[in-house]
Amino acid sequence: MRAKSFTDMACSIAGALEMVGDRWGFLLMRDLMLGLSRYDEFKASMDIPAQTLASRLRHFESTGLATRRRYQERPPRDEYRLTDKGRDFWVVLTALREWGDRWRMHGVEGPPVEIIDSSTGRKLQLALVEPRSGARVPAARVAVRAGPGADERMLRRLGAGNGPSRPKRR
Amino acid sequence: MRAKSFTDMACSIAGALEMVGDRWGFLLMRDLMLGLSRYDEFKASMDIPAQTLASRLRHFESTGLATRRRYQERPPRDEYRLTDKGRDFWVVLTALREWGDRWRMHGVEGPPVEIIDSSTGRKLQLALVEPRSGARVPAARVAVRAGPGADERMLRRLGAGNGPSRPKRR
């Protein structure tokens, strides 16, 4: 499927990418998140090659992103549902969608999907918050530091150039 | 580089993935975000094949994620910096890192990088907030709806199965 494993990179981003697999994996996660569960649904949703779809679903099952359930014996048919770990991936899909929307990577008509507060109908946005209070933290106060798992390469990255770009307030 | 274009899918996630390219593209965005800018720095950071690195940098330049500047003429050497659009990608990398950390896709030592509030030293977290107030919105109030750019496939996805999984409060 690919030449290089990203699992031994001491980087959670690389580890997460290894788990999703590739770009088809992201779209399949999107569809699972929206409640699609069966082969026919995935194939109607994306022009994904049948073998790619089958291999991604197997990969998701083996890495604990989704569970498989046989819903019909003759002929055998399975359906897939996200696990807690899989559902927790919503934040990645939301971030990709927000960025894609903001920089107009959707079609000319506008955003295909919106995430709203059901009590007000207003669109929501991802932001870095203080976990206890739930309050957004101003961009000027956001900083990056090495964690306990930082290897030599990560320390070098963190010390490189002019230092990390700060997240900008949108 | 790949068989299928994701640009005509009427999906901001697919559009964003097309722009990043592949998994190496994500790691390169990570390094650019941390301030790395030159070939030697990228090669020291990742075991990325030279041709892959060159093609991803060209792709980032042509899609407006990064700008190129010649800093040396003999021999010719270029450096790369993120544009505003590129820097805005921090939210995607942060989401991947958070998910990777939470499900222990880093090494055994713990998270390699932490995002903190520099005034308190406490770790921050992504959450869906009301853009004006900056207050986190409870998961039970978060809803997904079709936007103006939803095509037939998106409407079918949104109507599928038991409906979308709600983001869970972490």
Side-chain angles (χ1 to χ4, degrees):
Chain A
M1 180 167 155
R2 68 195 80 98
K4 184 169 169 53
S5 170
F6 276 45
T7 47
D8 58 350
M9 284 192 183
C11 168
S12 298
I13 294 174
L17 292 169
E18 179 72 22
M19 195 142 292
V20 185
D22 66 353
R23 305 190 307 160
W24 285 117
F26 279 96
L27 296 192
L28 188 52
M29 286 299 287
R30 172 200 65 188
D31 282 2
L32 284 160
M33 200 71 70
L34 290 172
L36 277 61
S37 63
R38 299 180 176 187
Y39 264 68
D40 291 348
E41 293 174 329
F42 300 128
K43 295 190 80 171
S45 166
M46 306 176 272
D47 298 316
I48 186 172
Q51 282 210 336
T52 308
L53 175 58
S55 91
R56 292 308 171 281
L57 286 169
R58 269 198 307 274
H59 182 63
F60 284 2
E61 193 188 358
S62 72
T63 54
L65 289 180
T67 55
R68 183 170 55 89
R69 191 183 73 88
R70 180 138 298 182
Y71 67 87
Q72 178 183 299
E73 283 297 342
R74 279 180 298 191
R77 291 283 181 271
D78 296 324
E79 64 183 9
Y80 294 81
R81 302 277 177 197
L82 292 178
T83 60
D84 284 348
K85 179 173 165 181
R87 274 188 297 275
D88 194 39
F89 197 72
W90 73 269
V91 67
V92 177
L93 297 173
T94 298
L96 277 165
R97 185 190 49 72
E98 272 194 8
W99 186 70
D101 283 350
R102 200 155 43 240
W103 297 94
R104 307 194 59 71
M105 289 162 211
H106 47 63
V108 289
E109 312 286 330
V113 172
E114 295 173 343
I115 305 281
I116 57 165
D117 181 340
S118 58
S119 69
T120 63
R122 283 206 293 262
K123 286 202 249 181
L124 302 179
Q125 204 170 50
L126 283 177
L128 286 167
V129 304
E130 157 66 38
R132 270 179 286 185
S133 69
R136 181 170 59 198
V137 171
R141 265 170 40 202
V142 174
V144 178
R145 74 174 173 207
D151 63 0
E152 202 187 315
R153 280 184 158 180
M154 186 58 79
L155 294 173
R156 208 159 43 202
R157 275 181 215 119
L158 290 170
N162 303 315
S165 300
R166 270 178 201 288
K168 272 186 147 183
R169 175 62 56 235
R170 298 188 294 269
Chain B
M1 178 168 156
R2 71 193 77 97
K4 182 166 170 55
S5 169
F6 276 45
T7 48
D8 57 350
M9 284 192 184
C11 170
S12 298
I13 294 174
L17 293 168
E18 178 72 22
M19 195 142 293
V20 185
D22 67 353
R23 305 189 307 160
W24 285 116
F26 278 95
L27 296 192
L28 188 52
M29 286 299 288
R30 172 200 66 189
D31 282 3
L32 285 160
M33 201 73 69
L34 291 172
L36 276 62
S37 64
R38 299 181 176 187
Y39 263 69
D40 290 350
E41 293 173 332
F42 299 127
K43 295 189 80 170
S45 166
M46 305 176 273
D47 299 316
I48 185 172
Q51 282 211 334
T52 307
L53 176 58
S55 91
R56 293 307 173 280
L57 286 169
R58 269 198 306 275
H59 182 64
F60 285 2
E61 194 189 356
S62 71
T63 53
L65 290 180
T67 55
R68 181 170 57 87
R69 192 184 73 88
R70 181 138 297 180
Y71 67 88
Q72 179 184 298
E73 284 296 341
R74 279 180 299 191
R77 292 282 182 271
D78 297 322
E79 63 183 11
Y80 293 82
R81 301 278 177 197
L82 292 178
T83 60
D84 285 349
K85 180 172 161 181
R87 273 189 296 277
D88 194 39
F89 197 71
W90 72 268
V91 67
V92 177
L93 297 173
T94 299
L96 277 165
R97 184 190 49 71
E98 272 195 7
W99 186 69
D101 283 350
R102 199 156 42 241
W103 296 93
R104 308 194 59 73
M105 291 162 210
H106 47 63
V108 290
E109 311 287 328
V113 172
E114 296 173 344
I115 306 282
I116 57 163
D117 181 340
S118 58
S119 70
T120 63
R122 284 206 292 262
K123 286 203 250 182
L124 302 178
Q125 203 172 50
L126 283 177
L128 285 167
V129 304
E130 157 65 39
R132 272 180 286 185
S133 69
R136 182 170 57 195
V137 171
R141 262 167 45 201
V142 174
V144 178
R145 73 174 174 206
D151 63 0
E152 201 186 315
R153 279 184 158 177
M154 187 57 80
L155 294 174
R156 208 157 44 202
R157 276 181 213 118
L158 289 171
N162 303 315
S165 300
R166 270 177 202 288
K168 271 187 150 180
R169 176 62 57 232
R170 299 190 294 272

